[in-house]
Amino acid sequence: MADISSFAATFAAAPGKAFKLSSRDPRDQSAFADKNKAKAQTAEDAAAIDALQDRLFADGRKALLVVLQGIDCSGKDGTVRAVFNSCGPIGVKVHPFKAPTPPELAHDYLWRVHKACPERGMSGIFNRSHYEDVLVVKVRKFASPDAIERRYEEINQFEKMLTDNGTVILKFMLHISKQEQAARLQERIDNP
């Protein structure tokens, strides 16, 4: 990738700026029109990530948290495999977030998230995340609108605390259409 910053800017949602996911085409292939080139670039990037993870682990002063968010079948597991499977087993932990367990529900909603955050020298990958504690709660009306608004600010403060203490946070929304999701779910039924 010649200019990674302009490449990343193509897909980034700038902090504090209005952004509508619906304005993005989930089938946009302009970055990698050729699937083989995309796979080759992913392998090259994964090797670079492995080398950087070794340095992060050896240095031990910072941590990396990668947050993968997306609807079912959006490719969170596949992204972890494609990007992080080249990393050695030391230094990388993947944490999938499912429905909270009874012990987790006995604490504040960020308790289980904070417990799963990577320590210095480590990379942590969240398959889903603390954003579920706003999204699901809002959609299913598990909390009042005021409580949900409060959670937005609490999550911002939580992430600020992490970054202030040496954790770099990278967030990715894996965006697919409802039609693509339906096709992938059907594939799971047809070929379990």
Side-chain angles (χ1 to χ4, degrees):
M1 216 40 43
D3 182 6
I4 191 72
S5 59
S6 65
F7 177 78
T10 303
F11 303 100
K17 303 248 175 152
F19 177 83
K20 285 191 172 194
L21 191 58
S22 61
S23 70
R24 299 291 177 114
D25 178 4
R27 301 214 35 97
D28 179 8
Q29 297 177 348
S30 60
F32 294 104
D34 182 299
K35 194 171 190 170
N36 290 328
K37 285 182 183 176
K39 285 182 179 184
Q41 185 65 54
T42 300
E44 185 180 318
D45 292 345
I49 289 168
D50 180 39
L52 289 169
Q53 173 53 44
D54 289 346
R55 291 174 58 192
L56 179 73
F57 184 78
D59 183 61
R61 289 184 288 171
K62 299 239 181 225
L64 173 66
L65 174 58
V66 176
V67 178
L68 300 177
Q69 198 67 42
I71 62 175
D72 289 340
C73 299
S74 62
K76 297 176 295 293
D77 293 330
T79 298
V80 172
R81 280 187 213 97
V83 176
F84 294 97
N85 262 6
S86 334
C87 291
I90 296 174
V92 179
K93 292 181 184 172
V94 179
H95 190 89
F97 284 96
K98 297 183 180 191
T101 64
E104 291 168 343
L105 288 169
H107 293 83
D108 67 88
Y109 71 97
L110 287 172
W111 177 80
R112 70 185 186 143
V113 178
H114 202 176
K115 214 170 76 156
C117 287
E119 60 264 28
R120 290 179 183 97
M122 301 292 287
S123 289
I125 298 116
F126 284 1
N127 181 334
R128 297 196 183 249
S129 70
H130 44 301
Y131 301 120
E132 297 287 314
D133 293 305
V134 175
L135 298 169
V136 173
V137 169
K138 185 175 183 175
V139 169
R140 296 200 176 158
K141 297 182 175 32
F142 289 156
S144 71
D146 288 342
I148 292 165
E149 284 301 316
R150 190 174 57 251
R151 284 187 179 196
Y152 289 133
E153 184 56 31
E154 290 167 352
I155 288 170
N156 286 337
Q157 291 303 315
F158 172 71
E159 290 179 351
K160 182 180 184 317
M161 183 268 306
L162 290 176
T163 58
D164 287 349
N165 284 281
T167 299
V168 174
I169 304 172
L170 301 175
K171 306 175 206 178
F172 298 90
M173 172 62 184
L174 305 181
H175 181 40
I176 62 171
S177 67
K178 291 290 187 183
Q179 295 80 9
E180 180 65 22
Q181 181 188 35
R184 291 179 183 185
L185 286 169
Q186 187 61 51
E187 172 62 25
R188 287 183 182 182
I189 292 168
D190 295 344
N191 187 7

